[in-house]
């Protein structure tokens, strides 16, 4: 479980400022005439977004966040500012602040899917899964063709133990974007758990044609072959996943298990020690972060 952070004083001030920006539309003087308004709004959007990216590159995250919020207000239908605001809040370690920001955004721009998506995303990061699911469902009602909304619903349903619902949501996301490696890997996992090996293999193979260097897909393929008793193919898939991403402890662990059960105990123990070292490294890195 993640621990909720208490928002620092600077975070409270910053979030209050950003909510003010959202509430008042950025404080800019609007020209008369619809065409002039649209042109001016687009120019403001580009200007603030460029400033935000420059400030982000300089490491000035609070100022970048303010500019990203203004870019969002200038052009609420553009997805870029939402993504940048979310990313900046994450790097500021302030998911609570992000949640407050996107709550205001859903009130102001509730007819759009982006505010609901990022509202759900930060609820998800705070382990508030049921509430996050509601936001992602709202986003998918507004734009049912966006695979992100269905993918996130699938992750939450899987986490909550609703494997049937997860399979439906992840299947919808995969159907909308069958070449996405992460979606295919996740979908194949729930299919495998359900015993639908043939469909799981089809999903992984199709995605691998588009992303042959995806460690996630090769690992998913290895897990599938391992469950089917196809040890030689499983070993090759795990080794391929490791060659692409040497630091993934899960592939080292599963390869160690396979080697040990096939009588190669020394090599299996070596792989397991690697997996343990990588897990320890990941834990230390998380703690330091």
């Amino acid at each position: 479980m993640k621990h909720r952070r208490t928002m620092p004083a600077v975070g409270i001030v910053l979030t209050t400022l950003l909510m003010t920006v959202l509430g008042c539309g950025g404080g800019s003087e609007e020209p008369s005439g619809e065409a002039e308004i649209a042109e001016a709004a687009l120019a403001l959007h580009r200007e603030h977004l460029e400033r935000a990216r420059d400030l982000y590159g300089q490491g000035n995250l609070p100022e970048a966040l303010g500019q990203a919020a203004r870019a969002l207000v200038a052009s609420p239908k553009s997805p870029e500012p939402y993504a940048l605001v979310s990313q900046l809040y994450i790097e500021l370690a302030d998911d609570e602040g992000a949640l407050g920001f996107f709550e205001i955004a859903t009130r102001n721009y509730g007819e759009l899917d982006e505010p609901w998506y990022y509202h759900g995303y930060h609820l998800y990061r705070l382990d508030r899964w049921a509430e996050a699911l509601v936001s992602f469902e709202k986003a998918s009602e507004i734009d049912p063709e966006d695979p992100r909304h269905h993918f996130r619903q699938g992750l939450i349903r899987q986490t909550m133990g609703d494997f049937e619902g997860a399979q439906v949501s992840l299947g919808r996301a995969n159907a909308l974007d069958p070449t996405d490696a992460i979606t295919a890997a996740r979908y194949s996992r729930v299919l495998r758990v359900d015993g639908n090996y043939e469909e799981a293999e089809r999903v992984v193979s199709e995605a691998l044609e588009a992303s042959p260097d995806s460690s996630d897909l090769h690992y998913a393929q290895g897990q599938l072959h391992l469950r089917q008793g196809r040890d030689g193919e499983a070993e090759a898939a795990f080794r391929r996943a490791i060659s692409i991403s040497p630091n993934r402890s899960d592939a080292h662990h599963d390869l160690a298990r396979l080697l040990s059960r096939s009588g190669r105990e020394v090599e299996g123990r070596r792989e397991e020690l690697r997996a343990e070292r990588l897990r320890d490294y990941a834990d230390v890195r998380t703690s330091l972060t």
Side-chain angles (χ1 to χ4, degrees):
M1 292 283 290
K2 300 181 182 72
H3 297 286
R4 293 189 189 178
R5 304 177 180 89
T6 302
M7 194 189 306
V10 66
I12 296 173
V13 173
L14 181 58
T15 301
T16 302
L17 170 63
L18 294 176
M19 289 179 178
T20 302
V21 170
L22 283 176
C24 70
S28 58
E29 294 185 8
E30 295 184 348
S32 60
E34 291 184 8
E36 290 182 358
I37 290 174
E39 185 178 349
L42 186 58
L44 271 176
H45 165 75
R46 290 170 176 165
E47 178 184 343
H48 288 305
L49 196 57
E50 184 176 353
R51 286 181 187 171
R53 288 169 176 160
D54 287 344
L55 289 163
Y56 176 56
Q58 297 167 21
N60 190 341
L61 303 188
E63 289 292 333
L65 189 50
Q67 291 298 321
R70 286 173 168 82
L72 189 155
V73 170
S75 183
K77 292 183 179 180
S78 174
E80 290 90 348
Y82 294 95
L84 185 53
V85 166
S86 175
Q87 180 180 349
L88 287 163
Y89 267 117
I90 289 170
E91 296 198 23
L92 286 164
D94 191 4
D95 283 294
E96 292 282 6
L99 183 57
F101 178 90
F102 287 113
E103 281 177 356
I104 298 294
T106 58
R107 290 202 290 270
N108 284 13
Y109 313 119
E111 75 283 3
L112 304 174
D113 65 313
E114 293 292 331
W116 290 106
Y117 174 80
Y118 284 102
H119 183 255
Y121 180 62
H122 287 278
L123 282 166
Y124 175 80
R125 285 177 53 83
L126 290 163
D127 292 337
R128 293 164 62 175
W129 297 323
E131 296 169 84
L133 184 58
V134 172
S135 290
F136 290 132
E137 287 173 337
K138 180 67 176 177
S140 65
E141 288 173 10
I142 296 169
D143 186 0
E145 300 303 307
D146 191 324
R148 296 176 304 162
H149 309 329
H150 302 285
F151 176 73
R152 291 290 170 188
Q153 289 176 56
L155 293 188
I156 293 173
R157 291 189 167 105
Q158 185 178 3
T159 301
M160 296 175 73
D162 178 11
F163 291 100
E164 184 177 347
Q167 191 171 138
V168 171
S169 295
L170 291 171
R172 177 62 177 153
N174 179 254
L176 288 166
D177 188 4
T179 63
D180 184 77
I182 295 176
T183 301
R186 284 281 186 167
Y187 183 37
S188 72
R189 183 183 302 176
V190 296
L191 288 169
R192 188 189 76 238
V193 169
D194 196 41
N196 194 344
Y197 299 133
E198 184 177 346
E199 180 64 9
E201 189 155 11
R202 183 198 65 78
V203 167
V204 171
S205 297
E206 187 173 346
L208 272 170
E209 290 180 9
S211 304
D213 293 328
S214 168
S215 179
D216 288 323
L217 288 174
H218 287 287
Y219 177 64
Q221 192 175 57
Q223 286 188 307
L224 180 61
H225 292 332
L226 189 65
R227 186 69 68 90
Q228 293 173 299
R230 297 157 61 182
D231 286 5
E233 293 169 271
E235 180 178 345
F238 289 142
R239 291 191 185 280
R240 177 62 177 146
I242 291 169
S243 71
I244 296 169
S245 298
N247 292 333
R248 60 178 312 152
S249 61
D250 51 2
H252 283 286
H253 171 75
D254 285 359
L255 178 59
R257 187 170 52 141
L258 188 156
L259 292 169
S260 295
R261 82 177 190 184
S262 64
R264 289 175 282 176
E265 289 86 358
V266 174
E267 191 178 359
R269 180 56 181 161
R270 187 162 56 243
E271 286 296 330
E272 185 56 43
L273 288 172
R274 286 176 183 151
E276 290 175 3
R277 285 197 299 271
L278 289 168
R279 283 194 295 266
D280 290 343
Y281 172 74
D283 289 343
V284 170
R285 184 176 180 181
T286 299
S287 299
L288 289 173
T289 301

